[in-house]
Amino acid sequence: MDDCFIAKPLGRRQIDQAYPLVCAIAPGLEVDRWRAFAAAMLQGATDGGSARGSAVPATTGIMTVQNAQGYLHGLFSYAVEPHLRHGRILTVDNFVVLDLFDIAGIAETLLRAMEGLARRLGCAAIHTTLPERYIPVDSRRNPIPDCFLSEGHRQETVHFCKNLAVVNDNAPAAPEGRREAE
């Protein structure tokens, strides 16, 4: 790991700078959508609002890994939420690392920042959803999941997503001879 990398919260002036990183895990994402998401996540980090109407304080944000010159090499978004089994958890999403030479080092820096953040926020567990690109489709090893495993994380669930903006092609068909709207 390169000691020149440091984990820091994303600053408001860095939102546009982080856009290419996010596009690596969300190709085609509109810049305005990213700006709105990032602004909302950063607002939750400062306003102390409540998450989903619960009594648990909402703490959200975006953590980055930067080099000494301020270039972004990775990030994740997070929120503190209640969980049935673990109590207060840090939910991590949009985990991305972009670097040609030290993918594992940057990932480890993000993972250590994630754990430190969870401990400071009084969380009992960290739940991370990794983008599809980090799921190995063949027998080759992938440095991102490997870093999670070596830092003590384990796979606990499988996360599914149904995009409701696309046509629901698995809806049950109407019985023969009946009209859809009777």
mmCIF file of all heavy atoms in Angstrom, residues 17-55:
data_model
loop_
_atom_site.group_PDB
_atom_site.id
_atom_site.type_symbol
_atom_site.label_atom_id
_atom_site.label_comp_id
_atom_site.label_asym_id
_atom_site.label_seq_id
_atom_site.Cartn_x
_atom_site.Cartn_y
_atom_site.Cartn_z
ATOM 1 N N GLN A 17 -15.320 16.173 -9.819
ATOM 2 C CA GLN A 17 -14.069 15.410 -9.951
ATOM 3 C C GLN A 17 -14.318 13.916 -9.733
ATOM 4 O O GLN A 17 -13.655 13.077 -10.338
ATOM 5 C CB GLN A 17 -13.038 15.928 -8.951
ATOM 6 C CG GLN A 17 -11.695 15.257 -9.041
ATOM 7 C CD GLN A 17 -10.740 15.689 -7.935
ATOM 8 O OE1 GLN A 17 -11.056 16.550 -7.108
ATOM 9 N NE2 GLN A 17 -9.570 15.086 -7.918
ATOM 10 N N ALA A 18 -15.280 13.565 -8.894
ATOM 11 C CA ALA A 18 -15.567 12.165 -8.590
ATOM 12 C C ALA A 18 -16.434 11.492 -9.656
ATOM 13 O O ALA A 18 -16.532 10.264 -9.684
ATOM 14 C CB ALA A 18 -16.258 12.060 -7.225
ATOM 15 N N TYR A 19 -17.032 12.268 -10.528
ATOM 16 C CA TYR A 19 -17.946 11.716 -11.531
ATOM 17 C C TYR A 19 -17.322 10.600 -12.383
ATOM 18 O O TYR A 19 -17.949 9.547 -12.555
ATOM 19 C CB TYR A 19 -18.490 12.855 -12.401
ATOM 20 C CG TYR A 19 -19.415 12.402 -13.498
ATOM 21 C CD1 TYR A 19 -20.658 11.839 -13.215
ATOM 22 C CD2 TYR A 19 -19.053 12.547 -14.837
ATOM 23 C CE1 TYR A 19 -21.505 11.435 -14.228
ATOM 24 C CE2 TYR A 19 -19.895 12.144 -15.851
ATOM 25 C CZ TYR A 19 -21.124 11.588 -15.541
ATOM 26 O OH TYR A 19 -21.962 11.180 -16.547
ATOM 27 N N PRO A 20 -16.104 10.740 -12.900
ATOM 28 C CA PRO A 20 -15.532 9.625 -13.686
ATOM 29 C C PRO A 20 -15.377 8.333 -12.880
ATOM 30 O O PRO A 20 -15.534 7.238 -13.423
ATOM 31 C CB PRO A 20 -14.162 10.159 -14.131
ATOM 32 C CG PRO A 20 -14.289 11.638 -14.068
ATOM 33 C CD PRO A 20 -15.237 11.920 -12.935
ATOM 34 N N LEU A 21 -15.082 8.439 -11.598
ATOM 35 C CA LEU A 21 -14.993 7.243 -10.753
ATOM 36 C C LEU A 21 -16.329 6.521 -10.707
ATOM 37 O O LEU A 21 -16.403 5.306 -10.875
ATOM 38 C CB LEU A 21 -14.593 7.616 -9.317
ATOM 39 C CG LEU A 21 -13.142 7.904 -9.037
ATOM 40 C CD1 LEU A 21 -12.998 8.498 -7.645
ATOM 41 C CD2 LEU A 21 -12.302 6.668 -9.172
ATOM 42 N N VAL A 22 -17.387 7.263 -10.482
ATOM 43 C CA VAL A 22 -18.711 6.674 -10.360
ATOM 44 C C VAL A 22 -19.156 6.076 -11.693
ATOM 45 O O VAL A 22 -19.811 5.038 -11.720
ATOM 46 C CB VAL A 22 -19.717 7.723 -9.835
ATOM 47 C CG1 VAL A 22 -21.114 7.179 -9.794
ATOM 48 C CG2 VAL A 22 -19.292 8.190 -8.449
ATOM 49 N N CYS A 23 -18.765 6.712 -12.793
ATOM 50 C CA CYS A 23 -19.125 6.176 -14.115
ATOM 51 C C CYS A 23 -18.489 4.812 -14.363
ATOM 52 O O CYS A 23 -18.993 4.031 -15.179
ATOM 53 C CB CYS A 23 -18.736 7.157 -15.217
ATOM 54 S SG CYS A 23 -19.877 8.548 -15.315
ATOM 55 N N ALA A 24 -17.419 4.496 -13.668
ATOM 56 C CA ALA A 24 -16.793 3.175 -13.814
ATOM 57 C C ALA A 24 -17.720 2.072 -13.313
ATOM 58 O O ALA A 24 -17.678 0.950 -13.811
ATOM 59 C CB ALA A 24 -15.463 3.128 -13.067
ATOM 60 N N ILE A 25 -18.564 2.374 -12.328
ATOM 61 C CA ILE A 25 -19.501 1.362 -11.820
ATOM 62 C C ILE A 25 -20.921 1.608 -12.291
ATOM 63 O O ILE A 25 -21.784 0.747 -12.125
ATOM 64 C CB ILE A 25 -19.463 1.266 -10.271
ATOM 65 C CG1 ILE A 25 -19.777 2.603 -9.619
ATOM 66 C CG2 ILE A 25 -18.146 0.681 -9.810
ATOM 67 C CD1 ILE A 25 -19.989 2.545 -8.136
ATOM 68 N N ALA A 26 -21.175 2.783 -12.864
ATOM 69 C CA ALA A 26 -22.509 3.116 -13.378
ATOM 70 C C ALA A 26 -22.357 3.790 -14.735
ATOM 71 O O ALA A 26 -22.611 4.995 -14.874
ATOM 72 C CB ALA A 26 -23.249 4.016 -12.396
ATOM 73 N N PRO A 27 -21.920 3.031 -15.747
ATOM 74 C CA PRO A 27 -21.726 3.635 -17.075
ATOM 75 C C PRO A 27 -23.019 4.285 -17.569
ATOM 76 O O PRO A 27 -24.104 3.748 -17.385
ATOM 77 C CB PRO A 27 -21.345 2.449 -17.966
ATOM 78 C CG PRO A 27 -20.876 1.390 -17.025
ATOM 79 C CD PRO A 27 -21.619 1.604 -15.741
ATOM 80 N N GLY A 28 -22.873 5.451 -18.152
ATOM 81 C CA GLY A 28 -24.034 6.150 -18.692
ATOM 82 C C GLY A 28 -24.790 6.991 -17.671
ATOM 83 O O GLY A 28 -25.779 7.625 -18.000
ATOM 84 N N LEU A 29 -24.326 7.006 -16.433
ATOM 85 C CA LEU A 29 -24.978 7.803 -15.404
ATOM 86 C C LEU A 29 -24.916 9.278 -15.795
ATOM 87 O O LEU A 29 -23.850 9.786 -16.142
ATOM 88 C CB LEU A 29 -24.285 7.600 -14.045
ATOM 89 C CG LEU A 29 -24.865 8.371 -12.871
ATOM 90 C CD1 LEU A 29 -26.198 7.763 -12.455
ATOM 91 C CD2 LEU A 29 -23.902 8.369 -11.706
ATOM 92 N N GLU A 30 -26.050 9.943 -15.736
ATOM 93 C CA GLU A 30 -26.092 11.362 -16.080
ATOM 94 C C GLU A 30 -25.410 12.173 -14.983
ATOM 95 O O GLU A 30 -25.587 11.902 -13.793
ATOM 96 C CB GLU A 30 -27.533 11.818 -16.242
ATOM 97 C CG GLU A 30 -28.250 11.132 -17.391
ATOM 98 C CD GLU A 30 -29.732 11.430 -17.403
ATOM 99 O OE1 GLU A 30 -30.225 12.188 -16.531
ATOM 100 O OE2 GLU A 30 -30.404 10.887 -18.285
ATOM 101 N N VAL A 31 -24.649 13.181 -15.390
ATOM 102 C CA VAL A 31 -23.901 13.989 -14.430
ATOM 103 C C VAL A 31 -24.830 14.687 -13.448
ATOM 104 O O VAL A 31 -24.521 14.805 -12.256
ATOM 105 C CB VAL A 31 -22.950 14.987 -15.130
ATOM 106 C CG1 VAL A 31 -23.702 16.086 -15.852
ATOM 107 C CG2 VAL A 31 -21.949 15.566 -14.135
ATOM 108 N N ASP A 32 -26.002 15.129 -13.911
ATOM 109 C CA ASP A 32 -26.943 15.789 -12.998
ATOM 110 C C ASP A 32 -27.467 14.829 -11.935
ATOM 111 O O ASP A 32 -27.688 15.222 -10.789
ATOM 112 C CB ASP A 32 -28.115 16.400 -13.775
ATOM 113 C CG ASP A 32 -27.683 17.622 -14.576
ATOM 114 O OD1 ASP A 32 -26.648 18.242 -14.225
ATOM 115 O OD2 ASP A 32 -28.381 17.962 -15.548
ATOM 116 N N ARG A 33 -27.647 13.581 -12.312
ATOM 117 C CA ARG A 33 -28.101 12.584 -11.334
ATOM 118 C C ARG A 33 -27.014 12.360 -10.276
ATOM 119 O O ARG A 33 -27.299 12.243 -9.089
ATOM 120 C CB ARG A 33 -28.446 11.285 -12.045
ATOM 121 C CG ARG A 33 -29.098 10.295 -11.132
ATOM 122 C CD ARG A 33 -29.637 9.127 -11.902
ATOM 123 N NE ARG A 33 -30.481 8.357 -11.033
ATOM 124 C CZ ARG A 33 -31.571 7.750 -11.412
ATOM 125 N NH1 ARG A 33 -31.958 7.822 -12.653
ATOM 126 N NH2 ARG A 33 -32.264 7.052 -10.557
ATOM 127 N N TRP A 34 -25.749 12.266 -10.705
ATOM 128 C CA TRP A 34 -24.639 12.120 -9.764
ATOM 129 C C TRP A 34 -24.559 13.329 -8.835
ATOM 130 O O TRP A 34 -24.411 13.190 -7.626
ATOM 131 C CB TRP A 34 -23.315 11.914 -10.497
ATOM 132 C CG TRP A 34 -22.129 12.195 -9.620
ATOM 133 C CD1 TRP A 34 -21.208 13.181 -9.776
ATOM 134 C CD2 TRP A 34 -21.745 11.492 -8.423
ATOM 135 N NE1 TRP A 34 -20.285 13.150 -8.752
ATOM 136 C CE2 TRP A 34 -20.595 12.117 -7.914
ATOM 137 C CE3 TRP A 34 -22.274 10.407 -7.736
ATOM 138 C CZ2 TRP A 34 -19.958 11.689 -6.759
ATOM 139 C CZ3 TRP A 34 -21.631 9.985 -6.575
ATOM 140 C CH2 TRP A 34 -20.487 10.615 -6.103
ATOM 141 N N ARG A 35 -24.655 14.528 -9.405
ATOM 142 C CA ARG A 35 -24.566 15.742 -8.590
ATOM 143 C C ARG A 35 -25.671 15.775 -7.525
ATOM 144 O O ARG A 35 -25.411 16.128 -6.373
ATOM 145 C CB ARG A 35 -24.664 16.974 -9.481
ATOM 146 C CG ARG A 35 -23.418 17.229 -10.301
ATOM 147 C CD ARG A 35 -23.626 18.376 -11.258
ATOM 148 N NE ARG A 35 -22.417 18.679 -12.018
ATOM 149 C CZ ARG A 35 -22.428 19.240 -13.202
ATOM 150 N NH1 ARG A 35 -23.569 19.589 -13.780
ATOM 151 N NH2 ARG A 35 -21.283 19.474 -13.822
ATOM 152 N N ALA A 36 -26.885 15.405 -7.910
ATOM 153 C CA ALA A 36 -28.001 15.408 -6.957
ATOM 154 C C ALA A 36 -27.778 14.362 -5.870
ATOM 155 O O ALA A 36 -28.007 14.631 -4.679
ATOM 156 C CB ALA A 36 -29.325 15.148 -7.694
ATOM 157 N N PHE A 37 -27.333 13.158 -6.259
ATOM 158 C CA PHE A 37 -27.073 12.103 -5.289
ATOM 159 C C PHE A 37 -25.980 12.538 -4.314
ATOM 160 O O PHE A 37 -26.138 12.430 -3.089
ATOM 161 C CB PHE A 37 -26.653 10.816 -6.011
ATOM 162 C CG PHE A 37 -26.205 9.727 -5.079
ATOM 163 C CD1 PHE A 37 -27.129 8.923 -4.433
ATOM 164 C CD2 PHE A 37 -24.850 9.514 -4.838
ATOM 165 C CE1 PHE A 37 -26.714 7.919 -3.559
ATOM 166 C CE2 PHE A 37 -24.423 8.513 -3.967
ATOM 167 C CZ PHE A 37 -25.367 7.727 -3.328
ATOM 168 N N ALA A 38 -24.862 13.020 -4.852
ATOM 169 C CA ALA A 38 -23.738 13.423 -3.998
ATOM 170 C C ALA A 38 -24.135 14.559 -3.064
ATOM 171 O O ALA A 38 -23.795 14.533 -1.874
ATOM 172 C CB ALA A 38 -22.541 13.818 -4.866
ATOM 173 N N ALA A 39 -24.863 15.540 -3.583
ATOM 174 C CA ALA A 39 -25.299 16.659 -2.735
ATOM 175 C C ALA A 39 -26.193 16.160 -1.602
ATOM 176 O O ALA A 39 -26.056 16.597 -0.458
ATOM 177 C CB ALA A 39 -26.028 17.705 -3.580
ATOM 178 N N ALA A 40 -27.088 15.227 -1.904
ATOM 179 C CA ALA A 40 -27.969 14.678 -0.865
ATOM 180 C C ALA A 40 -27.172 13.901 0.173
ATOM 181 O O ALA A 40 -27.440 14.004 1.379
ATOM 182 C CB ALA A 40 -29.035 13.789 -1.494
ATOM 183 N N MET A 41 -26.196 13.112 -0.272
ATOM 184 C CA MET A 41 -25.371 12.336 0.660
ATOM 185 C C MET A 41 -24.548 13.271 1.549
ATOM 186 O O MET A 41 -24.407 13.032 2.746
ATOM 187 C CB MET A 41 -24.447 11.383 -0.091
ATOM 188 C CG MET A 41 -25.166 10.281 -0.840
ATOM 189 S SD MET A 41 -26.171 9.208 0.213
ATOM 190 C CE MET A 41 -24.906 8.248 1.016
ATOM 191 N N LEU A 42 -24.010 14.333 0.983
ATOM 192 C CA LEU A 42 -23.211 15.271 1.768
ATOM 193 C C LEU A 42 -24.093 16.098 2.692
ATOM 194 O O LEU A 42 -23.681 16.441 3.798
ATOM 195 C CB LEU A 42 -22.378 16.161 0.847
ATOM 196 C CG LEU A 42 -21.352 15.437 -0.028
ATOM 197 C CD1 LEU A 42 -20.549 16.426 -0.848
ATOM 198 C CD2 LEU A 42 -20.441 14.545 0.793
ATOM 199 N N GLN A 43 -25.308 16.393 2.278
ATOM 200 C CA GLN A 43 -26.250 17.115 3.145
ATOM 201 C C GLN A 43 -26.583 16.274 4.368
ATOM 202 O O GLN A 43 -26.637 16.779 5.476
ATOM 203 C CB GLN A 43 -27.530 17.468 2.379
ATOM 204 C CG GLN A 43 -28.550 18.205 3.212
ATOM 205 C CD GLN A 43 -28.083 19.577 3.652
ATOM 206 O OE1 GLN A 43 -27.325 20.246 2.954
ATOM 207 N NE2 GLN A 43 -28.524 20.009 4.821
ATOM 208 N N GLY A 44 -26.783 14.967 4.179
ATOM 209 C CA GLY A 44 -27.088 14.071 5.291
ATOM 210 C C GLY A 44 -25.940 13.965 6.272
ATOM 211 O O GLY A 44 -26.137 13.651 7.443
ATOM 212 N N ALA A 45 -24.729 14.238 5.804
ATOM 213 C CA ALA A 45 -23.562 14.182 6.681
ATOM 214 C C ALA A 45 -23.509 15.388 7.604
ATOM 215 O O ALA A 45 -22.869 15.350 8.640
ATOM 216 C CB ALA A 45 -22.283 14.107 5.851
ATOM 217 N N THR A 46 -24.208 16.460 7.236
ATOM 218 C CA THR A 46 -24.104 17.677 8.035
ATOM 219 C C THR A 46 -25.380 18.108 8.725
ATOM 220 O O THR A 46 -25.345 18.861 9.667
ATOM 221 C CB THR A 46 -23.638 18.857 7.144
ATOM 222 O OG1 THR A 46 -24.594 19.036 6.090
ATOM 223 C CG2 THR A 46 -22.272 18.608 6.578
ATOM 224 N N ASP A 47 -26.567 17.609 8.251
ATOM 225 C CA ASP A 47 -27.799 18.140 8.827
ATOM 226 C C ASP A 47 -28.346 17.345 10.009
ATOM 227 O O ASP A 47 -29.223 17.823 10.700
ATOM 228 C CB ASP A 47 -28.882 18.322 7.757
ATOM 229 C CG ASP A 47 -29.452 17.011 7.242
ATOM 230 O OD1 ASP A 47 -29.070 15.940 7.745
ATOM 231 O OD2 ASP A 47 -30.287 17.062 6.326
ATOM 232 N N GLY A 48 -27.839 16.119 10.216
ATOM 233 C CA GLY A 48 -28.304 15.333 11.356
ATOM 234 C C GLY A 48 -29.763 14.952 11.283
ATOM 235 O O GLY A 48 -30.389 14.683 12.285
ATOM 236 N N GLY A 49 -30.313 14.921 10.059
ATOM 237 C CA GLY A 49 -31.716 14.545 9.878
ATOM 238 C C GLY A 49 -31.948 13.102 10.264
ATOM 239 O O GLY A 49 -31.029 12.369 10.600
ATOM 240 N N SER A 50 -33.181 12.679 10.206
ATOM 241 C CA SER A 50 -33.478 11.301 10.589
ATOM 242 C C SER A 50 -33.677 10.436 9.353
ATOM 243 O O SER A 50 -34.245 10.874 8.367
ATOM 244 C CB SER A 50 -34.693 11.231 11.493
ATOM 245 O OG SER A 50 -35.821 11.685 10.808
ATOM 246 N N ALA A 51 -33.198 9.207 9.427
ATOM 247 C CA ALA A 51 -33.266 8.273 8.307
ATOM 248 C C ALA A 51 -34.635 7.621 8.250
ATOM 249 O O ALA A 51 -35.058 6.994 9.203
ATOM 250 C CB ALA A 51 -32.189 7.196 8.449
ATOM 251 N N ARG A 52 -35.300 7.781 7.110
ATOM 252 C CA ARG A 52 -36.568 7.095 6.863
ATOM 253 C C ARG A 52 -37.558 7.276 8.017
ATOM 254 O O ARG A 52 -38.271 6.358 8.389
ATOM 255 C CB ARG A 52 -36.314 5.622 6.589
ATOM 256 C CG ARG A 52 -35.516 5.411 5.324
ATOM 257 C CD ARG A 52 -35.346 3.941 5.048
ATOM 258 N NE ARG A 52 -34.563 3.754 3.857
ATOM 259 C CZ ARG A 52 -33.265 3.548 3.844
ATOM 260 N NH1 ARG A 52 -32.599 3.516 4.951
ATOM 261 N NH2 ARG A 52 -32.622 3.380 2.710
ATOM 262 N N GLY A 53 -37.553 8.431 8.655
ATOM 263 C CA GLY A 53 -38.520 8.708 9.701
ATOM 264 C C GLY A 53 -38.221 8.033 11.028
ATOM 265 O O GLY A 53 -39.010 8.093 11.939
ATOM 266 N N SER A 54 -37.076 7.360 11.156
ATOM 267 C CA SER A 54 -36.767 6.663 12.408
ATOM 268 C C SER A 54 -36.128 7.613 13.408
ATOM 269 O O SER A 54 -35.774 8.731 13.085
ATOM 270 C CB SER A 54 -35.814 5.493 12.127
ATOM 271 O OG SER A 54 -34.517 5.978 11.861
ATOM 272 N N ALA A 55 -35.985 7.135 14.623
ATOM 273 C CA ALA A 55 -35.354 7.936 15.661
ATOM 274 C C ALA A 55 -33.831 7.869 15.582
ATOM 275 O O ALA A 55 -33.139 8.577 16.287
ATOM 276 C CB ALA A 55 -35.820 7.456 17.030
#
